[in-house]
Amino acid sequence: MNQELKNIVIVGGGSAGWLSAAIIASQHQTQGDNAINVTLIESPDVATIGVGEGTWPSMRQTLKSIGISETEFFIECDASFKQASEFRNWTHGNGDSYFHPFTMPSGFHETNIAEFWQQHRDKVSFADATTSQSHVCRNGLAPKQIATPEYSFFLNYGYHLDAGKFATLLQKHCTEKLGVRHILDHVSKVNAHASGDIKSVSSRKHGEIAGDLFIDCTGLKSLLLGEHYGIEFISRQDVLFNDRALAVHVPYAKEDADIASHTISTAQRCGWIWDIGLPSRRGVGHVYSSAHISDEEAANDLRAYIRPALGDKTNDADLRLIKINPGHRAKFWHKNCVAIGMAAGFIEPLEASALALIELSAKMIAEQLPANRQVMDITAKRFNDKFSYRWQRVIEFLKLHYVLSKRDDSDYWRDNRNDQSIPEHLQELLQLWQYQTPYTFDCMHADELFPAASFQYILYGMDFETKLPQRQKRLNNNNMANQYFNDNIKQTQHLMRALSSNRELINKIKQYGFAKV
């Protein structure tokens, strides 16, 4: 029961498996007497879903910490910059649009700028008033220059990427530079100790593979945590209705076509369409609720969206159907097994939280890696508490987009505003925010997935009105706020002159590479 933890076995590849392997192996020595042995078993018979193409800015630090050059990442993963999400037709469905940028509002940490914006709400959008990033995205510009060092920036950014190519790069990096053992084989059986811990997994060609800690990255199958241990799956379809996605690759009309510097999310009758620009193509998909629209109707809506790009070839486009069961496991770490990625759960791709949850899960395991089996249950409890909280916050944040919509063109949107589908905690926050803007104490933890600024961008992008009480504060920060608004105007004008287009910078990266730190 008190054996030292020396051998980690990751079952499953894809972004979840290889990102977990890279994060853990980069933090622990994998060679020598005191090494942690990391083995990843990947089945040649199981294809990855491979449509998770958006990341948060956290991925920059992850890539840097595991030792991958940003230049190499761009070249190998068909990557582009993601600076924000733009939501079209979400509020009224009449051509409305707003941005959720990755850069914090100007002066956010010095004063609650949203309070002062309220008096200007009919003149300028919240994002435009408080950050340059919405302007930069609207004009297809990049967040930095070629002379800017790797992973540094003028404006905060994440990435769009080809998920399959990303997994391939991680695999190469893990096996060649981080000492991860790669076994290409199919796991046919899970073997248990008398204690109930997993002793080993049996593979077709390599026999039994033993370990002290097993990480389940087997996707929706959840072979270890779900099938072997029977940990309950908690459906959250009562809150988030979308249970289908149709995905398609859309080519550019010409090689030098503009690449959007943000994810575009366009609301539909019964769901929404994502549009992600990579250098070689666009990744487009329709996420929808099968209870509100048929697969055929959803496909027709997606084809109508891509028709301007494909013309006569639209009906020949290969639409890939992906079934989603929105929810998560009742717990994520049980005995000596922890699930990461879709084995732990999946909600929907809005706000691209999936890869971020993989990063955070692997980072906590790497940092809190138990010394031995005796203390593992303590670590497991801490992990479960942390990620149960995180999953609830993701669910609430995604639901917020639907609750705030004023669309009334289908039961889908009306049902999303039904109180019975809105988590109680979110209802409390919405009531509170009628009279005060989200700010620092709305975040209960230092490492919140969504800072208060994200709630501000969504609320005020979707015409939510906060009626501040008429009370006088001891310090009047109006002059400070006006200075931040004016500074943002000047910063925007400067960046519009200084930054090149997204495609132009990506072409320079491929030719010259970024400056090294």
Side-chain angles (χ1 to χ4, degrees):
M1 185 65 180
N2 196 28
Q3 79 265 24
E4 189 177 358
L5 196 156
K6 300 282 287 184
N7 299 296
I8 298 174
V9 177
I10 301 171
V11 182
S15 297
W18 286 111
L19 198 53
S20 298
I23 290 170
I24 294 169
S26 66
Q27 296 299 311
H28 296 275
Q29 183 57 254
T30 56
Q31 305 288 333
D33 294 339
N34 297 316
I36 293 292
N37 302 306
V38 181
T39 300
L40 187 145
I41 312 168
E42 187 174 26
S43 174
D45 303 338
V46 179
T48 59
I49 290 181
V51 294
E53 299 188 320
T55 83
W56 288 3
S58 56
M59 186 60 75
R60 291 201 326 275
Q61 182 56 40
T62 295
L63 293 174
K64 183 178 180 180
S65 67
I66 66 177
I68 289 181
S69 150
E70 192 172 27
T71 299
E72 181 185 17
F73 168 74
F74 266 89
I75 294 172
E76 296 296 328
C77 298
D78 196 22
S80 61
F81 295 102
K82 176 183 177 180
Q83 300 186 64
S85 293
E86 181 188 6
F87 296 89
R88 297 177 178 176
N89 293 330
W90 275 80
T91 308
H92 302 285
N94 59 359
D96 52 87
S97 167
Y98 75 93
F99 281 87
H100 174 194
F102 282 154
T103 295
M104 301 287 270
S106 299
F108 179 81
H109 296 294
E110 285 68 43
T111 188
N112 188 353
I113 197 78
E115 292 184 350
F116 303 94
W117 169 81
Q118 301 293 323
Q119 58 192 305
H120 307 289
R121 59 180 302 125
D122 59 337
K123 301 181 183 69
V124 60
S125 73
F126 179 71
D128 283 355
T130 61
T131 175
S132 304
Q133 200 147 39
S134 54
H135 302 275
V136 165
C137 288
R138 204 174 282 119
N139 286 274
L141 302 180
K144 60 193 294 184
Q145 297 172 328
I146 190 63
T148 311
E150 289 195 337
Y151 300 117
S152 299
F153 57 88
F154 296 147
L155 294 166
N156 200 13
Y157 67 89
Y159 307 102
H160 290 145
L161 52 83
D162 183 305
K165 292 181 179 180
F166 184 44
T168 299
L169 173 63
L170 290 170
Q171 174 190 327
K172 179 182 177 183
H173 185 73
C174 283
T175 55
E176 294 182 1
K177 297 184 179 180
L178 297 178
V180 174
R181 179 189 179 202
H182 181 206
I183 296 176
L184 196 62
D185 204 346
H186 186 80
V187 171
S188 55
K189 184 182 176 184
V190 180
N191 308 302
H193 285 291
S195 65
D197 280 6
I198 297 176
K199 175 185 177 183
S200 64
V201 293
S202 297
S203 62
R204 289 174 181 168
K205 298 178 181 178
H206 294 77
E208 284 195 28
I209 301 164
D212 304 314
L213 175 67
F214 289 81
I215 300 179
D216 187 347
C217 295
T218 59
L220 293 174
K221 186 177 180 63
S222 193
L223 177 65
L224 307 185
L225 193 72
E227 291 193 3
H228 175 71
Y229 279 124
I231 299 301
E232 179 188 5
F233 181 86
I234 301 174
S235 175
R236 298 312 306 270
Q237 201 166 354
D238 58 326
V239 178
L240 295 167
F241 306 149
N242 294 336
D243 61 349
R244 296 283 192 279
L246 286 164
V248 63
H249 291 170
V250 178
Y252 291 109
K254 50 184 181 179
E255 287 187 3
D256 61 347
D258 291 339
I259 304 171
S261 196
H262 57 283
T263 297
I264 300 169
S265 171
T266 305
Q268 303 295 303
R269 293 176 296 162
C270 300
W272 56 276
I273 288 176
W274 78 72
D275 194 335
I276 288 175
L278 302 183
S280 65
R281 61 166 172 83
R282 290 159 54 201
V284 181
H286 187 187
V287 186
Y288 59 95
S289 163
S290 64
H292 294 86
I293 190 173
S294 69
D295 293 343
E296 183 178 359
E297 289 175 304
N300 289 337
D301 288 350
L302 178 56
R303 288 194 175 96
Y305 182 90
I306 63 177
R307 184 163 281 110
L310 296 184
D312 295 340
K313 298 179 181 179
T314 300
N315 291 334
D316 298 328
D318 183 18
L319 307 186
R320 180 183 173 196
L321 176 64
I322 302 167
K323 294 184 178 181
I324 302 168
N325 186 3
H328 54 81
R329 297 288 162 184
K331 57 181 176 178
F332 314 101
W333 193 325
H334 180 66
K335 293 190 178 292
N336 66 335
C337 172
V338 56
I340 294 181
M342 295 183 77
F346 185 76
I347 302 296
E348 63 156 277
L350 189 70
E351 295 288 4
S353 57
L355 281 174
L357 285 168
I358 293 170
E359 291 178 81
L360 289 166
S361 298
K363 285 177 180 178
M364 184 168 180
I365 293 171
E367 178 190 305
Q368 302 278 311
L369 192 66
N372 51 51
R373 182 60 184 87
Q374 184 177 4
V375 298
M376 186 181 291
D377 290 339
I378 300 171
T379 305
K381 183 180 184 301
R382 288 154 58 96
F383 187 95
N384 287 329
D385 289 345
K386 173 71 75 175
F387 281 89
S388 291
Y389 175 83
R390 281 179 165 153
W391 277 97
Q392 302 320 308
R393 298 293 79 77
V394 169
I395 291 164
E396 289 179 2
F397 188 70
L398 299 191
K399 183 65 173 181
L400 181 67
H401 299 65
Y402 298 97
V403 172
L404 296 177
S405 176
K406 298 171 178 62
R407 289 184 63 137
D408 198 37
D409 54 321
S410 72
D411 287 340
Y412 174 85
W413 295 102
R414 288 186 287 270
D415 291 346
N416 262 299
R417 292 192 292 270
N418 188 312
D419 285 349
Q420 292 182 341
S421 75
I422 305 173
E424 182 180 357
H425 182 250
L426 179 57
Q427 291 190 43
E428 291 176 352
L429 289 174
L430 287 166
Q431 184 176 357
L432 192 64
W433 291 334
Q434 292 180 47
Y435 306 103
Q436 66 188 57
T437 62
Y439 203 44
T440 51
F441 283 102
D442 286 274
C443 298
M444 305 302 291
H445 299 270
D447 58 349
E448 289 282 358
L449 280 167
F450 301 101
S454 291
F455 287 95
Q456 291 183 354
Y457 283 130
I458 303 303
L459 285 172
Y460 304 125
M462 297 190 74
D463 294 345
F464 185 87
E465 186 172 0
T466 298
K467 297 178 181 179
L468 298 171
Q470 296 300 311
R471 62 167 69 114
Q472 191 169 353
K473 295 187 177 181
R474 187 171 295 278
L475 294 177
N476 186 339
N477 289 333
N478 268 301
N479 290 336
M480 180 191 295
N482 285 328
Q483 185 62 52
Y484 285 125
F485 290 137
N486 290 329
D487 287 347
N488 183 62
I489 292 172
K490 294 176 183 177
Q491 173 76 348
T492 299
Q493 292 171 344
H494 170 70
L495 291 176
M496 296 290 278
R497 293 191 299 266
L499 296 174
S500 61
S501 73
N502 207 8
R503 183 173 290 281
E504 184 180 350
L505 179 55
I506 292 169
N507 287 342
K508 288 180 179 178
I509 295 168
K510 293 177 179 178
Q511 185 174 0
Y512 306 112
F514 277 125
K516 299 294 183 182
V517 178

